[in-house]
Amino acid sequence: MDNSTTLPKLFVTQGPLAGKTFDVPESGLRLGRSGSCEISIPDPALSRQNSMFEVREGSLWVTDLASANGTFVNGVQLGADRVLLKDGDLVVAGDSELRVGGEPPPPPPAPADVDLGLGGGAPAPDAPSTQAKTSSDGGRWL
């Protein structure tokens, strides 16, 4: 990931900080539940200091910081070695998912209007009426 003019970006796509974007500076970012982390997430599934994102020679890397529940890149749990990230990679830590670089994710779709057939609209042309009617002898029938 060559970002000589712009900082690498992390887009939070799931979890408590979903919708947030973080620029990764040369000094890096720590992710964890501790308030001392640059990406602090109130998630009990995270270690206090879970993962480290670093920029080295223009590329973005991630390292698991010996966390209890691990750090995963594209579904594969990291070991002790740092891993090179590329645009589109998915990093999961705790209940959070972060997408590396590229464009921000689109907003979630708006809920569709669904007709559950509970009224509110005109009945189909060939559907029987459900309105009450009066018989010729004054009684009511449907």
Side-chain angles (χ1 to χ4, degrees):
M1 164 178 236
D2 180 12
N3 286 321
S4 55
T5 58
T6 61
L7 296 174
K9 293 190 181 301
L10 296 170
F11 300 101
V12 184
T13 56
Q14 292 181 21
L17 299 183
K20 292 213 176 234
T21 301
F22 295 92
D23 292 326
V24 183
E26 291 288 329
S27 59
L29 293 175
R30 288 170 300 142
L31 178 144
R33 72 172 194 272
S34 170
S36 68
C37 291
E38 292 80 12
I39 304 176
S40 178
I41 302 175
D43 178 355
L46 285 175
S47 293
R48 285 181 186 88
Q49 294 192 20
N50 202 94
S51 314
M52 177 73 178
F53 295 90
E54 301 174 276
V55 179
R56 292 185 180 226
E57 299 176 6
S59 295
L60 182 61
W61 299 77
V62 65
T63 306
D64 183 75
L65 300 175
S67 65
N69 292 324
T71 302
F72 298 79
V73 175
N74 299 324
V76 178
Q77 187 168 7
L78 301 184
D81 296 329
R82 73 177 175 249
V83 172
L84 176 65
L85 297 172
K86 62 184 182 310
D87 282 353
D89 280 348
L90 295 176
V91 178
V92 174
D95 291 328
S96 295
E97 178 184 83
L98 299 93
R99 188 170 54 75
V100 176
E103 294 297 316
D113 290 333
V114 177
D115 181 8
L116 300 176
L118 301 175
D126 58 342
S129 172
T130 58
Q131 293 180 340
K133 296 181 181 178
T134 304
S135 65
S136 58
D137 63 359
R140 291 183 59 125
W141 49 275
L142 295 177

